[in-house]
């Protein structure tokens, strides 16, 4: 390819009639781009600015203030009191109740993933088939998630209390003679955590099922039909095609389940009457509220809250980095 330049205008012609950008047009284009750049940043500031301001005021600023208050021996009134440095953090990490609450949260996280995930996935695969009253079944499964945590916790406490509905029915059926002989669903230290896991599964498995059903709608039907034509059984189709394609949805649910289990508070507090029996069902969030409101140890409770925040943030970042990295990279490529 040869290039000739006319002396008069300085324009560049390419053989075959193609026109190359003139030397004079490039500076003009650059000037136009430079003029648009401030406008571009102005549009970003207009659209993002209000949200960033609200986020900073209600998220960043409270976290910074909590970190500051945690260094004082504050009782919730008047000035902040004595500066104690990291003493509150040392006491929290030496507190047996807080360590027990961390173990409880870890237990809830693991059991939520191990029980709710496979259970919800199995129901979602079954309900994705052509069934009568499928819409009605989906609605019924999602109803517990619609109930508020306070209502659900109070309702299950009425059912599972020592003198509650369930034990009363067992006495009427002749299984027990008196309420004192009945099972202490919420008072037995070995049983109460499993009861809590059951109630949490009842409450949140509907959300997992709905998410999985939504993800299943994105699995190509022709791919499933091709596998069936090749002789694959229903289980082989699910194991080899459906579940792998459902991976991004499963990982999103896992992320939501982990963060929700770490921050569990309201329903657990109603169900167990604030960590009973003997503080064995405390979660970290319950520990924070109890020490602040009941014990009026706001500096101490704030240190525990900062530790809870650090644990949640670390879990979220690690999960995003090692588990959801491929999903995020795919999303970024799609955006480009």
């Amino acid at each position: 390819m040869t290039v000739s330049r006319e002396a008069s205008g300085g324009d560049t012609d390419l053989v075959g009639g193609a026109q190359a950008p003139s030397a004079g047009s490039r500076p003009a284009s650059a000037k136009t781009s430079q003029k648009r750049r401030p406008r571009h940043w102005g549009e970003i500031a207009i659209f993002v600015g209000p949200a960033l301001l609200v986020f900073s005021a209600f998220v960043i600023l409270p976290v910074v203030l909590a970190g500051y208050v945690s260094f004082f021996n504050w009782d919730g009134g008047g000035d902040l009191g004595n500066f104690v440095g990291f003493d509150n953090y040392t006491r929290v990490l030496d507190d047996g109740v807080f360590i027990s609450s961390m173990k409880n949260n870890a237990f809830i996280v693991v059991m939520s993933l191990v029980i709710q995930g496979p259970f919800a996935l199995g129901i979602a695969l079954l309900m994705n088939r052509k069934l009568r009253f499928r819409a009605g079944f989906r609605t019924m499964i999602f109803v517990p998630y619609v109930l508020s945590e306070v209502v659900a916790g109070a309702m299950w406490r009425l059912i599972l209390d020592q003198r509650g509905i369930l034990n009363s029915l067992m006495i009427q059926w002749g299984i027990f003679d008196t309420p004192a002989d009945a099972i202490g669903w919420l008072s037995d230290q070995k049983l109460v955590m499993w009861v809590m896991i059951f109630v949490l599964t009842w409450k949140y498995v509907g959300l997992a099922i709905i998410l999985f059903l939504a993800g299943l709608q994105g699995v190509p039907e022709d791919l499933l039909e091709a596998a069936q034509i090749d002789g694959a059984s229903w289980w082989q189709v699910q194991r080899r095609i459906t579940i792998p394609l459902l991976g991004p949805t499963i990982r999103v649910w896992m992320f939501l389940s982990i963060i929700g289990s770490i921050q569990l508070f309201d329903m657990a507090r109603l169900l167990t009457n604030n960590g009973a029996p003997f503080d064995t069902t405390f979660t970290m969030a319950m520990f924070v509220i109890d020490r602040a409101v009941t014990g009026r140890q706001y500096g101490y409770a704030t240190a525990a809250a900062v530790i809870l925040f650090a644990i949640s943030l670390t879990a979220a970042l690690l999960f995003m980095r090692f588990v959801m990295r491929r999903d995020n990279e795919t999303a970024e490529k799609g955006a480009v």
Side-chain angles (χ1 to χ4, degrees), residues 2-74:
T2 59
V3 179
S4 65
R5 181 182 298 273
E6 295 181 0
S8 58
D11 292 336
T12 302
D13 294 334
L14 302 180
V15 173
Q19 295 290 329
S22 64
S25 65
R26 290 179 181 175
S29 177
K31 289 179 180 178
T32 305
S33 177
Q34 289 177 355
K35 289 180 180 178
R36 287 179 178 176
R37 189 169 299 170
R39 181 182 175 183
H40 177 68
W41 285 109
E43 292 174 349
I44 293 176
I46 291 173
F47 286 106
V48 178
L52 190 61
L53 185 64
V54 172
F55 183 79
S56 300
F58 292 99
V59 177
I60 303 297
L61 182 60
V63 171
V64 173
L65 291 177
Y68 179 70
V69 170
S70 66
F71 293 115
F72 292 87
N73 190 20
W74 187 39

Side-chain angles (χ1 to χ4, degrees), residues 17-325:
Q19 295 290 329
S22 64
S25 65
R26 290 179 181 175
S29 177
K31 289 179 180 178
T32 305
S33 177
Q34 289 177 355
K35 289 180 180 178
R36 287 179 178 176
R37 189 169 299 170
R39 181 182 175 183
H40 177 68
W41 285 109
E43 292 174 349
I44 293 176
I46 291 173
F47 286 106
V48 178
L52 190 61
L53 185 64
V54 172
F55 183 79
S56 300
F58 292 99
V59 177
I60 303 297
L61 182 60
V63 171
V64 173
L65 291 177
Y68 179 70
V69 170
S70 66
F71 293 115
F72 292 87
N73 190 20
W74 187 39
D75 62 358
D79 56 18
L80 292 177
N82 298 328
F83 179 79
V84 295
F86 288 95
D87 183 60
N88 283 331
Y89 289 93
T90 305
R91 290 170 53 206
V92 168
L93 294 176
D94 287 338
D95 194 319
V97 178
F98 185 76
I99 299 300
S100 175
S101 67
M102 290 176 64
K103 294 179 180 177
N104 289 339
N105 278 108
F107 179 76
I108 293 169
V109 168
V110 173
M111 288 298 108
S112 297
L113 296 178
V114 171
I115 296 176
Q116 290 183 27
F119 185 61
L121 182 59
I123 294 179
L125 291 176
L126 291 175
M127 294 188 65
N128 195 45
R129 309 176 74 176
K130 294 181 180 179
L131 299 172
R132 295 185 64 184
F133 311 114
R134 185 169 64 174
F137 288 136
R138 291 182 179 183
T139 304
M140 290 176 60
I141 288 174
F142 199 63
V143 165
Y145 184 74
V146 176
L147 289 176
S148 71
E149 280 76 4
V150 174
V151 173
M155 180 186 74
W156 278 104
R157 182 166 180 78
L158 290 174
I159 295 174
L160 298 172
D161 191 74
Q162 187 75 24
R163 297 178 179 274
I165 298 172
L166 182 58
N167 281 344
S168 298
L169 290 175
M170 288 184 171
I171 291 172
Q172 290 182 3
W173 294 336
I175 300 175
F176 303 108
D177 295 329
T178 64
D181 300 328
I183 299 174
W185 302 102
L186 300 175
S187 58
D188 189 326
Q189 296 184 45
K190 297 180 180 178
L191 185 62
V192 64
M193 283 302 297
W194 290 105
V195 173
M196 185 186 296
I197 293 297
F198 167 78
V199 175
L200 292 174
T201 301
W202 169 85
K203 178 72 171 68
Y204 295 110
V205 75
L207 174 65
I209 293 172
I210 294 298
L211 287 176
F212 294 161
L213 284 172
L216 287 171
Q217 306 312 308
V219 178
E221 287 287 341
D222 53 351
L223 199 60
L224 303 177
E225 292 174 358
Q228 292 172 351
I229 292 173
D230 288 341
S233 64
W234 180 84
W235 170 243
Q236 287 175 326
V237 171
Q238 308 307 319
R239 188 166 64 93
R240 299 287 187 181
I241 299 176
T242 305
I243 295 177
L245 292 178
L246 201 59
T249 305
I250 295 174
R251 287 189 282 275
V252 169
W253 167 79
M254 290 175 66
F255 179 78
L256 297 175
S257 181
I258 291 172
I259 299 303
S261 299
I262 292 175
Q263 299 176 347
L264 180 65
F265 169 66
D266 37 14
M267 194 173 73
R269 185 177 187 186
L270 264 293
L271 180 66
T272 64
N273 194 20
N274 198 27
F278 307 110
D279 299 338
T280 54
T281 55
F282 255 34
T283 63
M284 288 187 285
M286 290 166 64
F287 179 89
V288 171
I289 298 300
D290 181 76
R291 295 301 184 268
V293 177
T294 306
R296 296 192 63 81
Q297 300 174 303
Y298 281 87
Y300 182 72
T302 305
V306 172
I307 293 174
L308 171 59
F309 171 74
I311 292 173
S312 300
L313 182 62
T314 303
L317 293 178
L318 290 176
F319 195 86
M320 296 289 286
R321 176 68 178 81
F322 294 105
V323 180
M324 298 186 68
R325 182 177 63 177

